[in-house]
Amino acid sequence: MQISVDRAKCDNHGQCTFSAPTVFRLDDQGILQYEASVDDSLRADVEEAADVCPMQAIFITD
Amino acid sequence: MIHIIIRMRHNRTNDEVHTMPTEIEVPYLDISDPAFSMHSEAVRRAREQHWYAKTNYGYAVLRHQYVSTLLKDPRLSQGSGKWPDHNGVHDGLFHSWWTKCLLVLEGEDHHRIRRMLNPAFSLRHIEAYIPQFEALAEELVAGFLDSGECEYVNDFAEPYATRVLCILTGIPESEWPTIARIAGTIGLALGITIKDELPEIEEALGELYGYAEGLIADRQANPRDDLVTRLVEANRDGDSLSDDELRNALCLLIFGGMDTTRNQLGLGMQTMMHNPEQWELLAAHPELARNAVEEVMRANPTTTWVTREAVVDFDYEDLHAPAGSTVHFFTQVSGNDPEAYPNPEIDITAERAPHYGFGGGMHHCLGHFVARLDMAIAMRVFSKHMTNIRVNGQDEWLPDSGNTGPVRLPLAFDKR
Ligand code: HEM
Ligand code: HEM
Ligand code: SF4
């Protein structure tokens, strides 16, 4: 599956890292880093991350 | 959610600021002076002068860009866990609840619980409550619309904020006055009189436990399509919330979601009364209501500051805060920072940099979609029915720092 985070919206709150810690993480500067392409077995976790993001910045593109 | 009462009452002083010798002149703000105001020229000057100020209780971050970055810094923790102990309360029901609350937990203990609560508070699930929020707003407004006046806090904001939480948790709405009383009594725990008032506080918390435990037992036996059922069934990688964890969380969200929403509704009304042309714009374009909520929370937030404690020695640019220092984030001041908002006048159509009225980072408000939607509906319903809203008699306000808002706000209006 393909993931894209709208950087203009994302405010680095890190709530997505709780739902899908292997896909989303905050780096040393507190900036969100993420895998743009991940195995489909993670779909439920990534959908949950997109759902709970306070800024609604996460989009699943396929 | 905690600052008002605490503000005047801390009088320990070993949190005095220690700074390295430096060329930069850092402004100083006396935040425990009863006359201290977030809206003052002194605060604006301080923000112009430097990105943070020293205060008699730690540091205050003033500029938007720095609030945005540092509010989420893992070297700063929420820091209120030790509050009961510092006031002589070392055990008992309140102590055990508070020290296990999401708000004060840190690290994996916090994230584990937050991970299981978050999905039930997602936009998707909360949007389903819109028709109920709207019916409630209409019902309350119908109670005073024909009279042309109301006392906004008593007649609307308080019952609305409380009944929204009843709707959300499945507590019968008719019991809202009891819930409001309980939450008010538990709130006494955030003042320095916590120890004297402990018996009352614990009785109220015990009552709230009773509601929460009843709901949990009922949804375990009779699952339905609602928030408590979703929390009962929340399960991550074989882990789930224990009954105690869930009870603690339900109590926290009732406690944390009520005064905040009531106060923010009052501040939103204040802002819109000062901007009647924006009010008319909203009435003509009800789809702007959600953006209007963002705009009033940016300019006029109830949580005017969020407090953190440095876990380790904390260095950032010219700020050197030893471990244990208090760092305040002044959200009202950063929300009106001309560097981030060159045109700070209220404009409900503007696309703005985010505000921090819901805090930020790991402790970002759990109930923000609830608050955002219920307040948008309240504004929409009011603007649909009322115009020329004005203060009609003696209003009363909490101090404008800490958690602020109206205590009493009598209004008159013309029915549309
Ligand atoms: C969210 C609001 C606040 C919470 C939850 C909170 C909680 C706490 C806690 C848990 C401590 C003990 C920390 C420690 O020394 O281990 C503390 C200490 C203290 N707080 Fe607050 N506080 C808040 C806001 C404030 C405000 C607004 C002021 C001042 C105007 C203030 C002034 C102090 C002072 C002077 C101490 C003593 C520091 C020390 O003993 O070293 N606090 N507070
Ligand atoms: C306008 C209304 C509200 C405002 C202004 C507000 C503000 C805040 C703020 C500033 C924080 C972060 C505190 C900190 O970082 O120190 C917070 C946390 C929290 N809020 Fe809200 N809140 C509101 C409504 C609600 C509602 C309706 C609920 C529940 C349904 C709620 C539940 C919570 C909880 C559980 C936390 C703790 C989250 C954590 O520590 O992970 N709030 N809120
Ligand atoms: S939860 Fe949303 S805003 Fe927060 S870091 Fe993740 S994508 Fe960004």
Side-chain angles (χ1 to χ4, degrees), chain B residues 3 6-7 10 12 14 57 79-80 82-83 86 305 309:
Chain B
H3 318 189
I6 297 169
R7 181 172 164 250
H10 279 286
R12 272 181 262 135
N14 51 344
Y57 296 113
S80 46
K82 287 170 272 172
W83 167 253
H86 276 271
W305 70 45
E309 186 183 311

Side-chain angles (χ1 to χ4, degrees), chain A residues 1-7 16-17 20-27 31-40 42-43 45-47 49 58-62:
Chain A
M1 66 186 299
Q2 305 298 317
I3 303 165
S4 92
V5 173
D6 182 343
R7 290 286 181 181
C16 54
T17 68
T22 58
V23 180
F24 302 96
R25 66 180 179 85
L26 296 181
D27 67 16
I31 306 296
L32 176 73
Q33 303 299 339
Y34 67 101
E35 308 293 331
S37 177
V38 301
D39 191 84
D40 219 46
L42 290 164
R43 186 170 291 269
D45 288 357
V46 174
E47 280 175 353
I58 301 173
F59 297 90
I60 298 166
T61 49
D62 85 28

Side-chain angles (χ1 to χ4, degrees), chain B residues 37-351:
Chain B
S37 166
M38 289 286 172
H39 300 269
S40 62
E41 192 47 41
V43 172
R44 276 192 293 273
R45 263 204 316 274
R47 183 182 61 204
E48 230 167 82
Q49 198 182 333
H50 201 47
W51 64 271
Y52 72 89
K54 298 179 198 174
T55 78
N56 37 342
Y57 296 113
Y59 304 86
V61 180
L62 307 172
R63 290 192 192 158
H64 185 272
Q65 179 204 332
Y66 290 86
V67 169
S68 172
T69 306
L70 297 181
L71 184 53
K72 303 153 199 161
D73 196 300
R75 293 170 294 171
L76 300 172
S77 76
Q78 212 282 342
S80 46
K82 287 170 272 172
W83 167 253
D85 283 298
H86 276 271
N87 289 280
V89 175
H90 304 292
D91 48 29
L93 196 66
F94 180 78
H95 186 274
S96 77
W97 175 62
W98 186 248
T99 53
K100 290 191 203 76
C101 260
L102 193 65
L103 181 69
V104 310
L105 291 176
E106 292 291 337
E108 204 31 56
D109 293 338
H110 169 269
H111 307 341
R112 190 188 138 254
I113 294 180
R114 183 79 199 232
R115 168 163 53 215
M116 284 186 273
L117 294 174
N118 264 346
F121 290 87
S122 63
L123 182 59
R124 187 162 62 86
H125 285 311
I126 301 304
E127 271 176 342
Y129 292 97
I130 288 179
Q132 278 166 281
F133 295 169
E134 180 144 13
L136 173 58
E138 291 282 1
E139 177 197 323
L140 291 169
V141 165
F144 54 73
L145 186 59
D146 286 333
S147 74
E149 54 184 42
C150 69
E151 199 283 277
Y152 187 72
V153 178
N154 259 310
D155 295 339
F156 187 78
E158 174 147 306
Y160 186 69
T162 316
R163 287 175 65 178
V164 160
L165 286 166
C166 290
I167 291 171
L168 203 65
T169 53
I171 294 174
E173 280 179 72
S174 58
E175 290 178 43
W176 80 264
T178 309
I179 301 298
R181 172 183 56 75
I182 289 176
T185 306
I186 299 176
L188 298 173
L190 304 176
I192 198 103
T193 52
I194 172 174
K195 202 165 178 204
D196 302 333
E197 283 164 319
L198 201 59
E200 262 180 277
I201 293 165
E202 299 210 321
E203 196 189 318
L205 183 59
E207 246 183 290
L208 196 54
Y209 271 19
Y211 276 100
E213 285 165 358
L215 288 166
I216 295 166
D218 182 72
R219 298 309 191 274
Q220 281 166 342
N222 314 298
R224 31 175 136 157
D225 183 17
D226 73 356
L227 181 107
V228 176
T229 305
R230 276 192 282 279
L231 295 178
V232 164
E233 292 175 352
N235 186 302
R236 295 278 317 182
D237 308 324
D239 186 17
S240 57
L241 292 171
S242 70
D243 290 3
D244 284 5
E245 286 168 342
L246 183 46
R247 177 202 60 209
N248 289 349
L250 286 174
C251 292
L252 178 65
L253 67 94
I254 289 170
F255 176 64
M258 242 177 59
D259 288 12
T260 44
T261 307
R262 181 197 60 206
N263 290 339
Q264 189 65 63
L265 282 165
L267 291 160
M269 183 51 77
Q270 178 191 43
T271 295
M272 295 310 278
M273 278 192 289
H274 290 156
N275 293 274
E277 73 301 336
Q278 294 285 312
W279 186 252
E280 294 310 307
L281 185 63
L282 174 61
H285 296 277
E287 72 281 4
L288 291 172
R290 284 176 65 176
N291 213 44
V293 168
E294 299 309 307
E295 186 64 348
V296 299
M297 282 194 72
R298 167 190 73 79
N300 201 2
T302 173
T303 311
T304 61
W305 70 45
V306 177
T307 304
R308 294 286 180 266
E309 186 183 311
V311 187
V312 293
D313 290 347
F314 180 76
D315 296 314
Y316 195 81
E317 295 185 3
D318 63 313
L319 172 65
H320 307 286
S325 307
T326 302
V327 182
H328 300 287
F329 292 92
F330 280 11
T331 54
Q332 192 275 337
V333 178
S334 70
N336 291 278
D337 177 358
E339 248 172 50
Y341 308 104
N343 305 298
E345 305 75 35
I346 299 297
D347 175 358
I348 63 171
T349 67
E351 281 210 28

Side-chain angles (χ1 to χ4, degrees), chain A residues 5 9-16 26 32 53-55 57-58:
Chain A
V5 173
K9 284 189 171 169
C10 169
D11 199 16
N12 303 303
H13 292 300
Q15 297 292 326
C16 54
L26 296 181
L32 176 73
C53 168
M55 313 307 287
I58 301 173

